[in-house]
Amino acid sequence: MAQGNQGIRPKQPSLSQLRAFAAVAEHLHFRDAAAAIGMSQPALSGAVSTLEESLGVQLIERTTRKVLLSAAGERLAVRAAAVLEAVGALMEEAEAVRAPFTGVLRLGVIPTVAPYLLPTVLRLVHDRYPDLDLQVHEEQTSSLLEGLAGGRLDLLLLAVPLGVPGVSEIPLFDEDFVLVMEQEHWLGGRADIPREALRELPLLLLDEGHCLRDQALDICREAGRRNGTPVTTTAAGLSTLVQLVAGGLGVTLLPRTAVTVETGRNDALATGYFADPAPTRRVALAMRTGSARGGEFEEFAAALRGAMAPLPVRPVAAAG
């Protein structure tokens, strides 16, 4: 004969019980925990007790002087926090679907894009999407992709292609690379520089980890630069890189959107443009494939393309 308690499941904990327990776990004080979540102290104590009964586990050790988590409480506090965080994310997604361009948008941007495109992005958000809480995070590509996959970031602005499973790209524009050199350099001021000129030039590039470094190296390989021709890596940012060029240490490649900002501060610099087809990079937005805010991000991309019309770039329409 089957036992009488077979098939009986413990009662599911409620979100209010989990919030009460998470608050106690954080503050280790019933009064402070109750104040933090706007609940009366008796109600909070009752919620935690009911949770313990539902789970069949003692979570808290109550003494006359302080509150301690039991060993089980330490473990389950982590799970409770994760559940509450997931519920919060669910509510944010629902809010975004109900009211596009409201709430928080956590935008990740690479360092070789941020200083030159953010003024346009921020102006667009201020003028067109005043209810959007834009939060900007400047990081290298690998860190941005980790943040997107883990839910820390919602949308990325960076150079593509990425070729990362689960990430969809929304193209924005293409821009040419420009050769930056000392004022007296023999290539200065030219608009017909052949790519082959990169084969032997003393080239300065960004440190490892910057996608712009990888793109520049790809351009050099396409130009026939031999692996044995040294490339000096001495700078963590474009501003420093350009000053090293001004000091006579070599030449470098800049995306065209960066040229005015980075060369305008130093009269010792000259620029030169490549003959067609010039080496280029593509900048795009990237989101999690299937994101609930996909339609919103597509609309945002279209608005960005229009806002970037004054910049020296060529807008690229989204595929399909």
Side-chain angles (χ1 to χ4, degrees):
M1 181 180 294
Q3 297 297 319
N5 62 353
Q6 282 189 349
I8 299 176
R9 294 187 176 185
K11 186 178 179 182
Q12 291 280 347
S14 68
L15 289 177
S16 61
Q17 292 167 2
L18 292 177
R19 289 193 186 95
F21 171 52
V24 173
E26 178 181 356
H27 295 279
L28 295 177
H29 195 288
F30 277 93
R31 185 180 66 244
D32 293 346
I37 61 174
M39 181 182 285
S40 71
Q41 190 170 331
L44 178 131
S45 179
V48 174
S49 296
T50 302
L51 178 63
E52 290 178 315
E53 293 174 8
S54 298
L55 298 176
V57 174
Q58 182 180 350
L59 302 173
I60 294 172
E61 297 178 6
R62 301 164 178 82
T63 69
T64 55
R65 294 190 175 183
K66 57 184 177 181
V67 174
L68 298 175
L69 291 180
S70 66
E74 293 278 2
R75 294 175 59 181
L76 295 182
V78 177
R79 296 287 189 181
V83 169
L84 293 172
E85 182 178 353
V87 171
L90 182 147
M91 297 303 294
E92 285 185 10
E93 289 282 5
E95 180 183 0
V97 171
R98 290 196 308 270
F101 302 108
T102 61
V104 176
L105 174 59
R106 298 164 296 186
L107 177 68
V109 192
I110 56 174
T112 58
V113 164
Y116 322 112
L117 298 185
L118 276 181
T120 300
V121 173
L122 296 176
R123 192 178 308 114
L124 173 68
V125 170
H126 179 270
D127 293 345
R128 189 174 299 192
Y129 311 117
D131 295 324
L132 187 64
D133 179 9
L134 182 66
Q135 299 176 2
V136 177
H137 302 261
E138 184 186 48
E139 302 168 22
Q140 291 185 12
T141 299
S142 59
S143 177
L144 293 179
L145 288 171
E146 289 176 3
L148 185 68
R152 178 174 59 85
L153 299 172
D154 304 309
L155 188 65
L156 308 182
L157 178 58
L158 72 181
V160 297
L162 299 169
V164 177
V167 176
S168 297
E169 301 168 9
I170 311 173
L172 292 175
F173 62 83
D174 293 332
E175 65 175 326
D176 294 341
F177 280 100
V178 177
L179 192 65
V180 179
M181 64 214 86
E182 287 184 277
Q183 185 65 248
E184 304 304 321
H185 197 280
W186 63 281
L187 290 174
R190 288 182 54 176
D192 60 349
I193 300 173
R195 293 194 190 199
E196 291 73 19
L198 294 171
R199 290 176 180 175
E200 305 296 338
L201 291 173
L203 191 63
L204 303 175
L205 297 178
L206 293 173
D207 290 335
E208 296 281 356
H210 288 274
C211 62
L212 187 61
R213 171 192 171 89
D214 298 331
Q215 290 167 332
L217 289 174
D218 287 342
I219 293 167
C220 291
R221 281 190 287 269
E222 291 171 5
R225 189 182 182 95
R226 297 189 301 273
N227 291 336
T229 305
V231 173
T232 305
T233 303
T234 48
L238 291 184
S239 296
T240 302
L241 198 63
V242 167
Q243 297 312 310
L244 294 173
V245 171
L249 298 186
V251 303
T252 196
L253 292 166
L254 289 186
R256 192 160 182 179
T257 51
V259 170
T260 299
V261 173
E262 298 300 346
T263 65
R265 298 185 289 248
N266 198 319
D267 294 335
L269 294 168
T271 56
Y273 296 86
F274 290 92
D276 289 334
T280 65
R281 74 168 178 177
R282 175 162 292 184
V283 173
L285 294 176
M287 63 178 178
R288 288 183 295 276
T289 301
S291 170
R293 304 177 74 176
E296 178 183 351
F297 295 157
E298 292 279 1
E299 183 179 337
F300 186 54
L304 272 177
R305 292 186 202 103
M308 290 175 178
L311 300 178
V313 300
R314 296 181 298 280
V316 177

